Structures are given as structure tokens and as C-alpha cells.
Amino acid sequence: MSEKAADRPILVFDSGIGGLTVLREARVLMPDRRFVYIADDAGFPYGEWEEAALCSRIVAMFAGLIAEHNPQIAIIACNTASTLVLDDLRAAYPAVPFVGTVPAIKPAAERTSSGLVSVLATPGTVKRAYTRDLIQSFAARCHVRLVGSQNLARMAEEHIRGDHIDDEAIRAEIGPCFYERSDQRTDIVVLACTHYPFLANVFRRLAPWPVDWLDPAEAIARRALSLIEPDGTGTEPEHGDDIAIFTSGNPDFSTRRLMQGFGLATV
Ligand code: DGL
């Protein structure tokens, strides 16, 4: 535990590979840091878990992760988890700064011109009290439609591994985000699941009209940067030190290859 704070890794946690969309932004802003990526693929998908069971699972898992990696900061790169467990994690592990990823409802409300916003997320995230509170606190003057998708996180995993995804299946998932009211129509769709930015180009191609697809990854990375200790050396660490851990202990070949493409050694 005598390790300098800046030498300790930044832990990035998700249920699967979606957190990589946050990791890539975090790396741009913090190139001098070491990252440990954790995918709880044994629990994937989180979207349909019962809240109490998911909360206990994640809080219990962090006891081991913190003991093993001694992170300087932990980024919960998952909306489904963050909207549920942030308070419990902070209470259980007060020495670790936690950065959460929650639906970008506030920036959407600030940017919308039509006042019609959709939040595309997992079924878990759309039913959270946390999400409803965000809408009430920051978007009371907008109309916000919550669109819970049962399949998109899995489709994003398949897409990024190189599998073919049917356009019609994706169109059916994003369709409810597009709606009209009093001559206005949706102009912002919040990507409130870290898996979805992997499909952003497909969404753009299939959208019935152009909208702003809001991805909070860069904002999350900026928040993390504001909380870390300065390194002071100005030097980048040895490349190749970043690792990925899958709770199944058994990611398939295409997943390992994907991790390798992100410069993560699967251990
Ligand atoms: N990537 C996760 C999120 O941001 C959830 C995917 C899932 O496990 O259903 O919500």
C-alpha cells in the first residue's frame, strides 16, 4: 500500500464490453495512467437484474477488486449499475473515489431545441428512481421519453465482435425514440448505456430523421481526470501494462482479440 497514488491503476467497470467506450476517452485524457478493465460478463446483461440482488453482487465484488488492485479511482462505466449502486459503493469503500456514468439528461435538456428528448437505455436504467429524479431535477421543462431496450446491449456486443446484426432488428429498438408533438420532433437521443456508442453509426444510418446522439463518455473521462492525483513526472507508463479481467474467467476468442485491439491483455 506504499505505492504512490499516481502509480495505482484506474479501474473501469462494466457488465461487458460497453465500458470500453469510456475507457477510450479516459485514455485520451489520462495517457500517463495504468488501467484495469473489469467486465462482469458472468452477470451480463445487467439490464434485467432485480435491483437488490444486483446491488449486493456489485458491492461484494468491489471488496475483492479493491483489495487486489488498490485503484486510485474507480469508474463505473455502466448506467445500469451507476443508477443503482453508487451510494452503496461510496459508503462501503470511502477511501476510493467513484465516478459514475448516469444518463446525460441534464446536457440533453440544455441542448434540445424542440424540447423533445429520448433516453435510450436498458430496462433497468429506465425504471430506476435515480433516472426519474434526473428528469425531474434537470428536464422538467422538456418532454423526456424513456425507451428501455431489452436487446441492444447484446446486439452491440455482437456487432463489435464482428457478427452481422439485422438492420430491421435495430430499427425496431430505436424506433420508439422518434416521436412528434405539436409540430416538433425529437432532436436528441441520450445514449444511456455504455454499449450503445458502438452502434452509433448504425443508429445514424437507420434514424428516420437526424438527431444528436448524446454519448457522455468524454464527460465521464473529464470528471475522472479532475479527481486523480497529478503524476508529476510527465512520463507515460510502460505500454502493455493495461489488463482486462472477465468475471466468467472465460471470454471467447473474439472478445480477447477485441481487448487486444484496445491494448488490454486479458488475464
Ligand atoms: N453497459 C451497461 C450500461 O451502461 C449495461 C449493459 C447490460 O448489462 O445490460 O447500462
CSV table of all heavy atoms in Angstrom, one decimal, residues 167-227:
chain,number,residue,atom,x,y,z
A,167,ASP,N,-30.5,-5.0,-39.7
A,167,ASP,CA,-30.9,-3.6,-39.6
A,167,ASP,C,-32.4,-3.4,-39.1
A,167,ASP,O,-32.6,-2.5,-38.3
A,167,ASP,CB,-31.0,-2.9,-41.0
A,167,ASP,CG,-29.6,-2.5,-41.5
A,167,ASP,OD1,-28.6,-2.7,-40.7
A,167,ASP,OD2,-29.4,-2.0,-42.6
A,168,GLU,N,-33.2,-4.4,-39.5
A,168,GLU,CA,-34.6,-4.2,-39.0
A,168,GLU,C,-34.7,-4.4,-37.5
A,168,GLU,O,-35.5,-3.8,-36.8
A,168,GLU,CB,-35.5,-5.3,-39.7
A,168,GLU,CG,-35.9,-4.9,-41.1
A,168,GLU,CD,-36.2,-3.4,-41.3
A,168,GLU,OE1,-37.1,-2.9,-40.5
A,168,GLU,OE2,-35.6,-2.7,-42.1
A,169,ALA,N,-33.9,-5.3,-37.0
A,169,ALA,CA,-33.9,-5.5,-35.5
A,169,ALA,C,-33.5,-4.3,-34.8
A,169,ALA,O,-34.1,-3.9,-33.8
A,169,ALA,CB,-33.0,-6.7,-35.2
A,170,ILE,N,-32.5,-3.6,-35.3
A,170,ILE,CA,-32.0,-2.4,-34.7
A,170,ILE,C,-33.1,-1.3,-34.8
A,170,ILE,O,-33.3,-0.5,-33.9
A,170,ILE,CB,-30.7,-1.9,-35.2
A,170,ILE,CG1,-29.6,-3.1,-34.9
A,170,ILE,CG2,-30.2,-0.6,-34.7
A,170,ILE,CD1,-28.2,-2.7,-34.9
A,171,ARG,N,-33.6,-1.2,-36.0
A,171,ARG,CA,-34.6,-0.2,-36.3
A,171,ARG,C,-35.8,-0.3,-35.3
A,171,ARG,O,-36.3,0.7,-34.8
A,171,ARG,CB,-35.2,-0.3,-37.7
A,171,ARG,CG,-35.6,1.0,-38.3
A,171,ARG,CD,-36.1,0.8,-39.7
A,171,ARG,NE,-35.1,1.4,-40.7
A,171,ARG,CZ,-34.6,0.7,-41.7
A,171,ARG,NH1,-35.0,-0.5,-42.0
A,171,ARG,NH2,-33.7,1.3,-42.5
A,172,ALA,N,-36.2,-1.5,-35.0
A,172,ALA,CA,-37.3,-1.8,-34.0
A,172,ALA,C,-36.9,-1.3,-32.6
A,172,ALA,O,-37.8,-0.8,-31.9
A,172,ALA,CB,-37.6,-3.3,-34.0
A,173,GLU,N,-35.6,-1.4,-32.3
A,173,GLU,CA,-35.2,-1.0,-30.9
A,173,GLU,C,-35.2,0.5,-30.8
A,173,GLU,O,-35.6,1.1,-29.8
A,173,GLU,CB,-33.8,-1.5,-30.6
A,173,GLU,CG,-33.7,-3.1,-30.6
A,173,GLU,CD,-34.5,-3.7,-29.5
A,173,GLU,OE1,-34.6,-3.2,-28.4
A,173,GLU,OE2,-35.0,-4.9,-29.7
A,174,ILE,N,-34.7,1.2,-31.9
A,174,ILE,CA,-34.5,2.7,-31.7
A,174,ILE,C,-35.8,3.4,-32.2
A,174,ILE,O,-36.0,4.6,-31.8
A,174,ILE,CB,-33.3,3.2,-32.5
A,174,ILE,CG1,-33.5,3.0,-34.0
A,174,ILE,CG2,-32.0,2.6,-32.0
A,174,ILE,CD1,-32.4,3.7,-34.9
A,175,GLY,N,-36.7,2.8,-32.9
A,175,GLY,CA,-37.9,3.4,-33.4
A,175,GLY,C,-38.6,4.3,-32.4
A,175,GLY,O,-39.0,5.4,-32.6
A,176,PRO,N,-38.9,3.7,-31.2
A,176,PRO,CA,-39.7,4.5,-30.2
A,176,PRO,C,-39.1,5.8,-29.7
A,176,PRO,O,-39.7,6.7,-29.1
A,176,PRO,CB,-39.9,3.5,-29.0
A,176,PRO,CG,-39.6,2.2,-29.5
A,176,PRO,CD,-38.6,2.4,-30.7
A,177,CYS,N,-37.8,6.0,-30.0
A,177,CYS,CA,-37.1,7.2,-29.6
A,177,CYS,C,-37.6,8.4,-30.5
A,177,CYS,O,-37.4,9.5,-30.1
A,177,CYS,CB,-35.6,7.1,-29.8
A,177,CYS,SG,-34.8,5.9,-28.8
A,178,PHE,N,-38.1,8.1,-31.6
A,178,PHE,CA,-38.5,9.1,-32.6
A,178,PHE,C,-40.0,9.4,-32.5
A,178,PHE,O,-40.8,8.5,-32.8
A,178,PHE,CB,-38.1,8.7,-34.0
A,178,PHE,CG,-36.6,8.6,-34.1
A,178,PHE,CD1,-35.9,7.5,-33.8
A,178,PHE,CD2,-35.9,9.7,-34.6
A,178,PHE,CE1,-34.5,7.4,-33.8
A,178,PHE,CE2,-34.5,9.6,-34.6
A,178,PHE,CZ,-33.8,8.5,-34.3
A,179,TYR,N,-40.3,10.6,-32.1
A,179,TYR,CA,-41.8,10.9,-31.9
A,179,TYR,C,-42.0,12.4,-32.2
A,179,TYR,O,-41.0,13.2,-32.2
A,179,TYR,CB,-42.3,10.5,-30.5
A,179,TYR,CG,-41.6,11.2,-29.4
A,179,TYR,CD1,-42.3,12.3,-28.7
A,179,TYR,CD2,-40.3,10.9,-28.9
A,179,TYR,CE1,-41.7,13.0,-27.6
A,179,TYR,CE2,-39.7,11.5,-27.8
A,179,TYR,CZ,-40.4,12.6,-27.2
A,179,TYR,OH,-39.8,13.2,-26.2
A,180,GLU,N,-43.2,12.8,-32.4
A,180,GLU,CA,-43.5,14.2,-32.8
A,180,GLU,C,-44.7,14.7,-31.9
A,180,GLU,O,-45.5,13.9,-31.5
A,180,GLU,CB,-44.0,14.2,-34.2
A,180,GLU,CG,-42.9,13.7,-35.2
A,180,GLU,CD,-43.3,13.8,-36.6
A,180,GLU,OE1,-43.6,14.9,-37.1
A,180,GLU,OE2,-43.2,12.8,-37.4
A,181,ARG,N,-44.6,15.9,-31.6
A,181,ARG,CA,-45.7,16.6,-30.8
A,181,ARG,C,-45.8,18.0,-31.2
A,181,ARG,O,-44.7,18.7,-31.2
A,181,ARG,CB,-45.2,16.6,-29.3
A,181,ARG,CG,-45.5,15.3,-28.6
A,181,ARG,CD,-45.1,15.6,-27.1
A,181,ARG,NE,-45.9,14.8,-26.3
A,181,ARG,CZ,-46.2,15.1,-25.0
A,181,ARG,NH1,-45.8,16.2,-24.5
A,181,ARG,NH2,-47.0,14.2,-24.3
A,182,SER,N,-47.0,18.5,-31.4
A,182,SER,CA,-47.2,19.9,-31.8
A,182,SER,C,-46.2,20.4,-32.8
A,182,SER,O,-45.5,21.4,-32.5
A,182,SER,CB,-47.2,20.8,-30.5
A,182,SER,OG,-47.6,20.2,-29.4
A,183,ASP,N,-46.0,19.7,-33.9
A,183,ASP,CA,-45.1,20.2,-34.9
A,183,ASP,C,-43.6,20.1,-34.6
A,183,ASP,O,-42.8,20.7,-35.3
A,183,ASP,CB,-45.4,21.6,-35.4
A,183,ASP,CG,-46.8,21.6,-36.1
A,183,ASP,OD1,-47.2,20.6,-36.6
A,183,ASP,OD2,-47.4,22.7,-36.1
A,184,GLN,N,-43.3,19.5,-33.5
A,184,GLN,CA,-41.9,19.4,-33.1
A,184,GLN,C,-41.6,17.9,-33.1
A,184,GLN,O,-42.5,17.1,-33.0
A,184,GLN,CB,-41.7,19.9,-31.7
A,184,GLN,CG,-41.9,21.4,-31.5
A,184,GLN,CD,-40.9,22.2,-32.2
A,184,GLN,OE1,-39.8,21.8,-32.5
A,184,GLN,NE2,-41.3,23.5,-32.6
A,185,ARG,N,-40.3,17.6,-33.2
A,185,ARG,CA,-39.9,16.2,-33.1
A,185,ARG,C,-38.6,16.0,-32.3
A,185,ARG,O,-37.9,17.0,-32.1
A,185,ARG,CB,-39.8,15.6,-34.5
A,185,ARG,CG,-38.9,16.3,-35.5
A,185,ARG,CD,-39.1,15.7,-36.9
A,185,ARG,NE,-38.1,16.1,-37.8
A,185,ARG,CZ,-38.0,15.7,-39.0
A,185,ARG,NH1,-38.9,14.9,-39.6
A,185,ARG,NH2,-37.0,16.1,-39.8
A,186,THR,N,-38.4,14.8,-31.9
A,186,THR,CA,-37.2,14.5,-31.1
A,186,THR,C,-36.0,15.1,-31.8
A,186,THR,O,-35.8,14.8,-33.0
A,186,THR,CB,-36.9,13.0,-31.0
A,186,THR,OG1,-38.1,12.3,-31.0
A,186,THR,CG2,-36.0,12.6,-29.9
A,187,ASP,N,-35.1,15.8,-31.0
A,187,ASP,CA,-33.8,16.2,-31.6
A,187,ASP,C,-32.6,15.7,-30.9
A,187,ASP,O,-31.5,15.8,-31.4
A,187,ASP,CB,-33.8,17.7,-31.9
A,187,ASP,CG,-33.9,18.5,-30.6
A,187,ASP,OD1,-34.0,17.9,-29.5
A,187,ASP,OD2,-33.7,19.8,-30.6
A,188,ILE,N,-32.8,15.0,-29.7
A,188,ILE,CA,-31.7,14.5,-29.0
A,188,ILE,C,-32.1,13.1,-28.5
A,188,ILE,O,-33.1,12.9,-27.9
A,188,ILE,CB,-31.3,15.3,-27.8
A,188,ILE,CG1,-30.9,16.7,-28.3
A,188,ILE,CG2,-30.1,14.7,-27.0
A,188,ILE,CD1,-30.1,17.6,-27.3
A,189,VAL,N,-31.2,12.1,-28.7
A,189,VAL,CA,-31.3,10.8,-28.1
A,189,VAL,C,-30.1,10.6,-27.2
A,189,VAL,O,-29.0,10.6,-27.7
A,189,VAL,CB,-31.5,9.7,-29.1
A,189,VAL,CG1,-31.6,8.3,-28.4
A,189,VAL,CG2,-32.7,9.9,-30.1
A,190,VAL,N,-30.4,10.4,-25.9
A,190,VAL,CA,-29.3,10.2,-25.0
A,190,VAL,C,-28.9,8.7,-25.0
A,190,VAL,O,-29.8,7.8,-24.8
A,190,VAL,CB,-29.8,10.5,-23.5
A,190,VAL,CG1,-28.7,10.2,-22.5
A,190,VAL,CG2,-30.2,12.0,-23.5
A,191,LEU,N,-27.7,8.4,-25.3
A,191,LEU,CA,-27.2,7.0,-25.3
A,191,LEU,C,-26.9,6.7,-23.8
A,191,LEU,O,-25.8,7.0,-23.3
A,191,LEU,CB,-25.9,6.9,-26.2
A,191,LEU,CG,-26.2,7.2,-27.6
A,191,LEU,CD1,-24.9,7.1,-28.4
A,191,LEU,CD2,-27.2,6.2,-28.2
A,192,ALA,N,-27.9,6.1,-23.1
A,192,ALA,CA,-27.7,5.9,-21.7
A,192,ALA,C,-27.3,4.5,-21.3
A,192,ALA,O,-27.8,3.9,-20.3
A,192,ALA,CB,-29.0,6.4,-21.0
A,193,CYS,N,-26.6,3.9,-22.2
A,193,CYS,CA,-26.0,2.6,-21.9
A,193,CYS,C,-24.6,2.7,-22.6
A,193,CYS,O,-24.6,3.0,-23.8
A,193,CYS,CB,-26.8,1.5,-22.5
A,193,CYS,SG,-26.0,-0.1,-22.5
A,194,THR,N,-23.6,2.3,-21.9
A,194,THR,CA,-22.2,2.5,-22.5
A,194,THR,C,-22.0,1.5,-23.7
A,194,THR,O,-21.0,1.8,-24.4
A,194,THR,CB,-21.1,2.3,-21.4
A,194,THR,OG1,-21.4,1.0,-20.8
A,194,THR,CG2,-21.2,3.4,-20.4
A,195,HIS,N,-22.8,0.6,-23.9
A,195,HIS,CA,-22.7,-0.3,-25.1
A,195,HIS,C,-23.1,0.4,-26.3
A,195,HIS,O,-22.6,0.1,-27.4
A,195,HIS,CB,-23.5,-1.5,-24.9
A,195,HIS,CG,-23.0,-2.6,-24.0
A,195,HIS,ND1,-22.8,-2.5,-22.7
A,195,HIS,CD2,-22.5,-3.9,-24.3
A,195,HIS,CE1,-22.3,-3.6,-22.2
A,195,HIS,NE2,-22.1,-4.4,-23.2
A,196,TYR,N,-24.0,1.4,-26.2
A,196,TYR,CA,-24.7,1.9,-27.4
A,196,TYR,C,-23.8,2.7,-28.4
A,196,TYR,O,-24.0,2.7,-29.6
A,196,TYR,CB,-25.9,2.6,-27.1
A,196,TYR,CG,-27.0,1.8,-26.3
A,196,TYR,CD1,-28.1,2.5,-25.7
A,196,TYR,CD2,-26.9,0.4,-26.2
A,196,TYR,CE1,-29.1,1.7,-25.1
A,196,TYR,CE2,-27.9,-0.3,-25.5
A,196,TYR,CZ,-28.9,0.4,-24.9
A,196,TYR,OH,-29.9,-0.3,-24.2
A,197,PRO,N,-22.8,3.5,-27.8
A,197,PRO,CA,-22.0,4.2,-28.8
A,197,PRO,C,-21.3,3.3,-29.8
A,197,PRO,O,-21.0,3.8,-30.9
A,197,PRO,CB,-21.0,4.9,-27.9
A,197,PRO,CG,-21.7,5.1,-26.6
A,197,PRO,CD,-22.5,3.8,-26.4
A,198,PHE,N,-21.1,2.1,-29.5
A,198,PHE,CA,-20.5,1.2,-30.5
A,198,PHE,C,-21.5,1.0,-31.8
A,198,PHE,O,-21.0,0.7,-32.8
A,198,PHE,CB,-20.3,-0.2,-30.0
A,198,PHE,CG,-19.0,-0.3,-29.1
A,198,PHE,CD1,-19.1,-0.9,-27.9
A,198,PHE,CD2,-17.8,0.2,-29.6
A,198,PHE,CE1,-18.0,-1.0,-27.1
A,198,PHE,CE2,-16.7,0.1,-28.8
A,198,PHE,CZ,-16.8,-0.5,-27.5
A,199,LEU,N,-22.7,1.3,-31.6
A,199,LEU,CA,-23.7,1.2,-32.7
A,199,LEU,C,-24.1,2.6,-33.2
A,199,LEU,O,-25.0,2.7,-34.1
A,199,LEU,CB,-25.0,0.5,-32.2
A,199,LEU,CG,-24.9,-1.0,-31.9
A,199,LEU,CD1,-26.1,-1.5,-31.1
A,199,LEU,CD2,-24.7,-1.8,-33.2
A,200,ALA,N,-23.4,3.6,-32.8
A,200,ALA,CA,-23.9,5.0,-33.1
A,200,ALA,C,-23.9,5.2,-34.7
A,200,ALA,O,-24.9,5.8,-35.2
A,200,ALA,CB,-23.0,6.0,-32.5
A,201,ASN,N,-23.0,4.7,-35.4
A,201,ASN,CA,-23.0,4.8,-36.8
A,201,ASN,C,-24.2,4.1,-37.5
A,201,ASN,O,-24.8,4.6,-38.4
A,201,ASN,CB,-21.7,4.4,-37.5
A,201,ASN,CG,-20.6,5.4,-37.3
A,201,ASN,OD1,-20.9,6.5,-37.0
A,201,ASN,ND2,-19.4,4.9,-37.3
A,202,VAL,N,-24.5,3.0,-36.9
A,202,VAL,CA,-25.7,2.2,-37.4
A,202,VAL,C,-27.0,3.0,-37.1
A,202,VAL,O,-27.9,3.2,-37.9
A,202,VAL,CB,-25.8,0.8,-36.8
A,202,VAL,CG1,-26.9,0.0,-37.4
A,202,VAL,CG2,-24.4,0.1,-37.0
A,203,PHE,N,-27.0,3.5,-35.9
A,203,PHE,CA,-28.2,4.3,-35.4
A,203,PHE,C,-28.4,5.5,-36.4
A,203,PHE,O,-29.5,5.8,-36.8
A,203,PHE,CB,-28.0,4.9,-34.0
A,203,PHE,CG,-28.0,3.8,-32.9
A,203,PHE,CD1,-27.6,4.2,-31.6
A,203,PHE,CD2,-28.5,2.6,-33.1
A,203,PHE,CE1,-27.6,3.3,-30.6
A,203,PHE,CE2,-28.5,1.6,-32.1
A,203,PHE,CZ,-28.1,2.0,-30.8
A,204,ARG,N,-27.3,6.2,-36.7
A,204,ARG,CA,-27.4,7.4,-37.6
A,204,ARG,C,-27.9,7.0,-39.0
A,204,ARG,O,-28.7,7.7,-39.5
A,204,ARG,CB,-26.0,8.0,-37.8
A,204,ARG,CG,-25.7,9.0,-36.7
A,204,ARG,CD,-24.4,9.7,-36.9
A,204,ARG,NE,-24.0,10.1,-35.5
A,204,ARG,CZ,-23.0,9.6,-34.9
A,204,ARG,NH1,-22.2,8.7,-35.4
A,204,ARG,NH2,-22.7,10.0,-33.6
A,205,ARG,N,-27.4,5.8,-39.4
A,205,ARG,CA,-27.8,5.4,-40.8
A,205,ARG,C,-29.3,5.0,-40.8
A,205,ARG,O,-30.0,5.2,-41.8
A,205,ARG,CB,-27.0,4.2,-41.2
A,205,ARG,CG,-27.3,3.6,-42.5
A,205,ARG,CD,-26.2,2.6,-43.0
A,205,ARG,NE,-25.9,1.5,-42.1
A,205,ARG,CZ,-26.7,0.4,-41.9
A,205,ARG,NH1,-27.8,0.3,-42.7
A,205,ARG,NH2,-26.4,-0.5,-41.1
A,206,LEU,N,-29.8,4.5,-39.7
A,206,LEU,CA,-31.2,4.0,-39.7
A,206,LEU,C,-32.2,4.9,-39.1
A,206,LEU,O,-33.4,4.7,-39.2
A,206,LEU,CB,-31.3,2.6,-38.8
A,206,LEU,CG,-30.4,1.5,-39.4
A,206,LEU,CD1,-30.4,0.3,-38.4
A,206,LEU,CD2,-30.8,1.1,-40.8
A,207,ALA,N,-31.7,6.1,-38.6
A,207,ALA,CA,-32.7,7.0,-37.9
A,207,ALA,C,-33.6,7.6,-39.0
A,207,ALA,O,-33.2,7.9,-40.1
A,207,ALA,CB,-31.9,8.1,-37.3
A,208,PRO,N,-34.9,7.7,-38.6
A,208,PRO,CA,-35.9,8.3,-39.5
A,208,PRO,C,-35.6,9.8,-39.8
A,208,PRO,O,-36.0,10.3,-40.8
A,208,PRO,CB,-37.2,8.1,-38.9
A,208,PRO,CG,-37.0,7.7,-37.5
A,208,PRO,CD,-35.6,7.2,-37.4
A,209,TRP,N,-35.0,10.5,-38.9
A,209,TRP,CA,-34.5,11.9,-39.2
A,209,TRP,C,-33.3,12.1,-38.3
A,209,TRP,O,-33.0,11.4,-37.3
A,209,TRP,CB,-35.6,12.9,-38.9
A,209,TRP,CG,-36.1,13.0,-37.5
A,209,TRP,CD1,-35.6,13.5,-36.4
A,209,TRP,CD2,-37.4,12.4,-37.0
A,209,TRP,NE1,-36.4,13.4,-35.3
A,209,TRP,CE2,-37.5,12.7,-35.7
A,209,TRP,CE3,-38.5,11.7,-37.7
A,209,TRP,CZ2,-38.7,12.3,-34.9
A,209,TRP,CZ3,-39.6,11.4,-36.9
A,209,TRP,CH2,-39.7,11.7,-35.6
A,210,PRO,N,-32.5,13.1,-38.7
A,210,PRO,CA,-31.2,13.3,-37.9
A,210,PRO,C,-31.5,13.8,-36.5
A,210,PRO,O,-32.3,14.7,-36.3
A,210,PRO,CB,-30.5,14.3,-38.7
A,210,PRO,CG,-31.2,14.5,-40.0
A,210,PRO,CD,-32.6,14.0,-39.8
A,211,VAL,N,-30.8,13.2,-35.6
A,211,VAL,CA,-30.8,13.7,-34.2
A,211,VAL,C,-29.4,13.8,-33.6
A,211,VAL,O,-28.5,13.2,-34.3
A,211,VAL,CB,-31.7,12.8,-33.2
A,211,VAL,CG1,-33.1,12.8,-33.6
A,211,VAL,CG2,-31.1,11.4,-33.2
A,212,ASP,N,-29.2,14.4,-32.5
A,212,ASP,CA,-27.9,14.4,-31.8
A,212,ASP,C,-27.9,13.2,-30.9
A,212,ASP,O,-28.8,13.0,-30.0
A,212,ASP,CB,-27.8,15.7,-31.0
A,212,ASP,CG,-26.5,15.9,-30.4
A,212,ASP,OD1,-25.6,15.1,-30.7
A,212,ASP,OD2,-26.3,17.0,-29.7
A,213,TRP,N,-27.0,12.2,-31.1
A,213,TRP,CA,-26.9,11.1,-30.2
A,213,TRP,C,-25.9,11.4,-29.1
A,213,TRP,O,-24.7,11.5,-29.4
A,213,TRP,CB,-26.4,9.8,-31.0
A,213,TRP,CG,-27.3,9.5,-32.2
A,213,TRP,CD1,-27.3,9.9,-33.4
A,213,TRP,CD2,-28.5,8.6,-32.1
A,213,TRP,NE1,-28.3,9.3,-34.2
A,213,TRP,CE2,-29.0,8.5,-33.4
A,213,TRP,CE3,-29.1,7.8,-31.1
A,213,TRP,CZ2,-30.1,7.7,-33.7
A,213,TRP,CZ3,-30.2,7.0,-31.4
A,213,TRP,CH2,-30.7,7.0,-32.7
A,214,LEU,N,-26.4,11.6,-27.9
A,214,LEU,CA,-25.5,12.1,-26.9
A,214,LEU,C,-24.8,11.0,-26.1
A,214,LEU,O,-25.4,10.2,-25.5
A,214,LEU,CB,-26.4,12.9,-25.9
A,214,LEU,CG,-25.7,14.0,-25.1
A,214,LEU,CD1,-25.2,15.1,-26.1
A,214,LEU,CD2,-26.7,14.7,-24.2
A,215,ASP,N,-23.5,11.0,-26.3
A,215,ASP,CA,-22.6,10.0,-25.6
A,215,ASP,C,-21.8,10.7,-24.5
A,215,ASP,O,-21.1,11.6,-24.8
A,215,ASP,CB,-21.7,9.4,-26.7
A,215,ASP,CG,-20.6,8.5,-26.1
A,215,ASP,OD1,-20.7,8.2,-24.9
A,215,ASP,OD2,-19.8,8.0,-26.8
A,216,PRO,N,-22.0,10.3,-23.2
A,216,PRO,CA,-21.4,11.0,-22.1
A,216,PRO,C,-19.9,10.6,-21.9
A,216,PRO,O,-19.3,11.1,-20.9
A,216,PRO,CB,-22.3,10.6,-20.9
A,216,PRO,CG,-22.7,9.2,-21.3
A,216,PRO,CD,-22.8,9.1,-22.8
A,217,ALA,N,-19.4,9.7,-22.7
A,217,ALA,CA,-18.1,9.2,-22.3
A,217,ALA,C,-17.0,10.2,-22.0
A,217,ALA,O,-16.2,10.1,-21.1
A,217,ALA,CB,-17.6,8.2,-23.4
A,218,GLU,N,-16.9,11.2,-22.9
A,218,GLU,CA,-15.9,12.2,-22.7
A,218,GLU,C,-16.1,13.0,-21.4
A,218,GLU,O,-15.1,13.3,-20.7
A,218,GLU,CB,-15.9,13.2,-23.9
A,218,GLU,CG,-14.6,14.0,-23.9
A,218,GLU,CD,-14.7,15.2,-24.8
A,218,GLU,OE1,-15.5,15.2,-25.8
A,218,GLU,OE2,-14.1,16.2,-24.4
A,219,ALA,N,-17.3,13.3,-21.1
A,219,ALA,CA,-17.6,14.0,-19.8
A,219,ALA,C,-17.2,13.1,-18.6
A,219,ALA,O,-16.7,13.6,-17.6
A,219,ALA,CB,-19.1,14.4,-19.7
A,220,ILE,N,-17.5,11.8,-18.7
A,220,ILE,CA,-17.1,10.9,-17.6
A,220,ILE,C,-15.6,10.9,-17.4
A,220,ILE,O,-15.0,11.0,-16.3
A,220,ILE,CB,-17.5,9.4,-17.9
A,220,ILE,CG1,-19.0,9.3,-18.3
A,220,ILE,CG2,-17.2,8.5,-16.7
A,220,ILE,CD1,-20.0,9.9,-17.4
A,221,ALA,N,-14.9,10.9,-18.6
A,221,ALA,CA,-13.4,10.9,-18.5
A,221,ALA,C,-12.9,12.2,-17.9
A,221,ALA,O,-12.0,12.2,-17.1
A,221,ALA,CB,-12.8,10.7,-19.9
A,222,ARG,N,-13.5,13.3,-18.3
A,222,ARG,CA,-13.1,14.6,-17.7
A,222,ARG,C,-13.3,14.6,-16.2
A,222,ARG,O,-12.5,15.1,-15.5
A,222,ARG,CB,-13.9,15.7,-18.4
A,222,ARG,CG,-13.0,16.5,-19.4
A,222,ARG,CD,-13.6,17.7,-19.9
A,222,ARG,NE,-14.5,17.4,-21.0
A,222,ARG,CZ,-15.8,17.6,-21.1
A,222,ARG,NH1,-16.4,18.2,-20.0
A,222,ARG,NH2,-16.6,17.3,-22.1
A,223,ARG,N,-14.4,14.1,-15.8
A,223,ARG,CA,-14.7,14.0,-14.3
A,223,ARG,C,-13.7,13.2,-13.6
A,223,ARG,O,-13.2,13.6,-12.6
A,223,ARG,CB,-16.1,13.4,-14.1
A,223,ARG,CG,-16.5,13.2,-12.7
A,223,ARG,CD,-16.8,14.5,-12.0
A,223,ARG,NE,-17.1,14.2,-10.6
A,223,ARG,CZ,-16.6,15.0,-9.6
A,223,ARG,NH1,-15.9,16.1,-9.8
A,223,ARG,NH2,-16.8,14.7,-8.3
A,224,ALA,N,-13.3,12.1,-14.2
A,224,ALA,CA,-12.3,11.2,-13.6
A,224,ALA,C,-11.0,12.0,-13.5
A,224,ALA,O,-10.3,12.0,-12.5
A,224,ALA,CB,-12.1,9.9,-14.4
A,225,LEU,N,-10.6,12.7,-14.6
A,225,LEU,CA,-9.3,13.4,-14.6
A,225,LEU,C,-9.3,14.5,-13.5
A,225,LEU,O,-8.3,14.7,-12.9
A,225,LEU,CB,-9.2,14.1,-16.0
A,225,LEU,CG,-8.0,15.0,-16.2
A,225,LEU,CD1,-6.7,14.3,-16.1
A,225,LEU,CD2,-8.1,15.8,-17.5
A,226,SER,N,-10.5,15.1,-13.2
A,226,SER,CA,-10.5,16.1,-12.2
A,226,SER,C,-10.3,15.5,-10.8
A,226,SER,O,-10.0,16.3,-9.9
A,226,SER,CB,-11.8,16.9,-12.2
A,226,SER,OG,-12.9,16.1,-11.7
A,227,LEU,N,-10.4,14.2,-10.7
A,227,LEU,CA,-10.3,13.6,-9.3
A,227,LEU,C,-9.0,12.9,-9.0
A,227,LEU,O,-8.7,12.5,-7.9
A,227,LEU,CB,-11.5,12.6,-9.1
A,227,LEU,CG,-12.9,13.2,-9.1
A,227,LEU,CD1,-13.9,12.1,-8.9
A,227,LEU,CD2,-13.0,14.2,-7.9
